[in-house]
């Protein structure tokens, strides 16, 4: 029979939505105030006096992805062997806030990601926050349409497990034929 390959790899766009929902809930922002950066349709315009947040997930180059854990498991009911290979990839979540409360919201998010509820949420979604890779919130001003807007940036890093499984049926039969040639003069 053929090998069947399965994977447990969450797409970056799925993580964008997951993080957007997380931020919306934690910071109690309305849905139209937490948006995905680099939208295909372009970004929605906002006003200088309204708080808005943009999120985007990126793959970060990291040597941790080189290490693979492998295992195998035999299922006696189906008589199949499952070979599992898992690795970790590093994700970088870029969060950009604009608005009068951008510094407060950015600082609050940076604190909330370390709470037990947040850690549990990340764990359930195959994520583990990497505290020593996380940057401090960065506050600045950005010129938009000849006006200085408040801006705050935060980059959060996560390990994310990647699993590939290969299901292979066992050999259910074989036919071995042994042929020997007799040498002349042997009995």
């Amino acid at each position: 029979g053929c090998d069947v390959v399965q994977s447990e790899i969450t797409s970056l766009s799925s993580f964008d939505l997951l993080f957007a929902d997380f931020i919306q809930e934690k910071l109690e922002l309305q849905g139209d105030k937490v948006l995905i950066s680099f939208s295909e349709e372009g970004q929605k315009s906002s006003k200088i006096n309204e708080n808005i947040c943009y999120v985007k997930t990126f793959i970060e180059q990291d040597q941790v992805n080189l290490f693979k854990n492998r295992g195998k498991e035999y299922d006696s009911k189906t008589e199949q062997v499952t070979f599992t290979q898992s690795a970790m990839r590093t994700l970088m979540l870029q969060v950009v806030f604009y608005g009068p409360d951008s510094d407060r919201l950015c600082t609050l998010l940076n604190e909330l990601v370390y709470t037990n509820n947040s850690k549990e949420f990340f764990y359930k979604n195959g994520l583990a926050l990497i505290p020593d890779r996380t940057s401090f919130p960065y506050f600045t001003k950005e010129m938009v349409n000849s006006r200085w807007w408040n801006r705050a940036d935060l980059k959060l890093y996560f390990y994310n497990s990647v699993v590939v499984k290969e299901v292979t049926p066992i050999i259910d039969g074989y036919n071995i034929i042994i042929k020997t040639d007799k040498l002349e003069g042997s009995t």
Side-chain angles (χ1 to χ4, degrees):
C2 296
D3 296 346
V4 176
V5 177
Q6 305 165 342
S7 66
E8 296 171 19
I9 303 172
T10 304
S11 69
L12 295 181
S13 59
S14 293
F15 278 124
D16 289 342
L17 296 172
L18 180 82
F19 285 126
D21 289 345
F22 172 82
I23 291 169
Q24 179 184 339
E25 179 186 327
K26 291 291 182 185
L27 299 182
E28 298 177 351
L29 294 170
Q30 294 177 3
D32 63 343
K33 302 300 180 203
V34 181
L35 304 171
I36 308 301
S37 296
F38 311 110
S39 169
E40 189 175 306
E41 297 85 28
Q43 294 299 353
K44 177 184 168 226
S45 62
S46 59
K47 297 178 179 142
I48 197 168
N49 62 349
E50 63 183 357
N51 294 305
I52 196 155
C53 173
Y54 294 96
V55 300
K56 191 66 181 170
T57 311
F58 298 92
I59 297 267
E60 187 75 9
Q61 295 301 319
D62 194 331
Q63 288 186 347
V64 73
N65 194 37
L66 297 174
F67 302 101
K68 312 292 184 202
N69 294 314
R70 293 184 176 97
K72 66 180 176 181
E73 185 178 315
Y74 173 71
D75 184 340
S76 59
K77 292 178 184 171
T78 62
E79 295 188 338
Q80 293 180 323
V81 178
T82 302
F83 295 92
T84 302
Q85 175 176 291
S86 59
M88 287 290 176
R89 64 179 174 174
T90 303
L91 303 178
M92 187 267 289
L93 172 63
Q94 176 180 291
V95 186
V96 179
F97 292 92
Y98 289 98
D101 295 329
S102 58
D103 59 335
R104 184 186 66 78
L105 291 169
C106 187
T107 301
L108 180 58
L109 178 62
N110 189 48
E111 296 303 319
L112 289 173
V113 294
Y114 293 96
T115 64
N116 288 333
N117 285 341
S118 295
K119 288 179 184 179
E120 185 178 327
F121 172 82
F122 296 145
Y123 180 75
K124 285 180 181 176
N125 287 285
L127 297 163
L129 183 66
I130 311 170
D132 60 335
R133 293 280 310 273
T134 298
S135 65
F136 292 103
Y138 176 74
F139 309 112
T140 189
K141 298 280 188 179
E142 182 176 321
M143 179 70 76
V144 178
N145 296 328
S146 301
R147 295 180 74 187
W148 290 105
W149 291 46
N150 291 329
R151 176 177 170 161
D153 293 49
L154 181 64
K155 291 181 181 176
L156 301 169
Y157 292 84
F158 297 87
Y159 286 133
N160 171 238
S161 58
V162 173
V163 178
V164 176
K165 294 180 180 183
E166 182 179 50
V167 180
T168 308
I170 63 168
I171 299 171
D172 54 7
Y174 53 88
N175 186 9
I176 299 175
I177 300 172
I178 300 175
K179 292 183 178 183
T180 58
D181 292 333
K182 288 192 175 185
L183 298 174
E184 286 184 34
S186 61
T187 56

